[in-house]
Amino acid sequence: MITVNLRYTGTNGNARKFAEEMISSGTVDKIRAEEGNLRYEYYYSLEEPETVLLIDSWRDQEAIDAHHASPMMDTIAKLREKYNLHMTVERFMGIEENEEDRRFVRK
């Protein structure tokens, strides 16, 4: 699994407006339906009100490459431009949970 954290930052609430339009336009549902998408969720920061976090998880690099080649990327790029957003990106590779980690997880 590959997870990408994207932080969208803007002004005047534009990051939040971007996320809301991504959802209301049906773009998020289309991305979630793409082969290999495991998670596509937006979160609002309590400490940085002009920042929205997207957690975007995919089965593997092949699924990400297919997503990047899809029409969704044009839609996303146009909305980022519309709301004049800037981004930071962090990428994480999934690892299996171990016994030591499980001690700290409350389910």
Side-chain angles (χ1 to χ4, degrees):
M1 177 177 67
I2 300 170
T3 297
V4 181
N5 287 353
L6 297 101
R7 284 181 182 80
Y8 292 101
T9 303
T11 57
N12 301 317
N14 279 348
R16 188 178 286 250
K17 291 173 191 171
F18 164 80
E20 289 169 353
E21 187 166 345
M22 286 286 293
I23 293 166
S24 68
S25 69
T27 303
V28 167
D29 287 335
K30 290 176 186 172
I31 293 168
R32 288 177 179 156
E34 288 182 287
E35 178 67 28
N37 182 264
L38 303 174
R39 181 178 190 184
Y40 198 92
E41 298 173 344
Y42 289 101
Y43 295 90
Y44 301 129
S45 173
L46 294 174
E47 297 178 87
E48 298 176 33
E50 295 295 342
T51 298
V52 170
L53 170 66
L54 168 63
I55 300 177
D56 187 14
S57 297
W58 297 86
R59 178 190 60 232
D60 52 26
Q61 187 60 48
E62 183 178 88
I64 292 173
D65 292 343
H67 170 63
H68 286 164
S70 77
M72 293 303 117
M73 291 309 296
D74 187 48
T75 301
I76 294 166
K78 286 178 181 172
L79 285 176
R80 284 194 299 233
E81 283 297 313
K82 174 181 177 179
Y83 292 106
N84 191 29
L85 299 180
H86 301 276
M87 301 165 51
T88 60
V89 179
E90 299 171 315
R91 182 182 176 110
F92 304 92
M93 302 297 290
I95 58 171
E96 290 190 33
E97 200 177 86
N98 63 39
E99 284 300 319
E100 186 66 21
D101 293 337
R102 287 189 192 108
R103 292 184 320 130
F104 301 103
V105 177
R106 183 174 183 219
K107 294 189 180 197

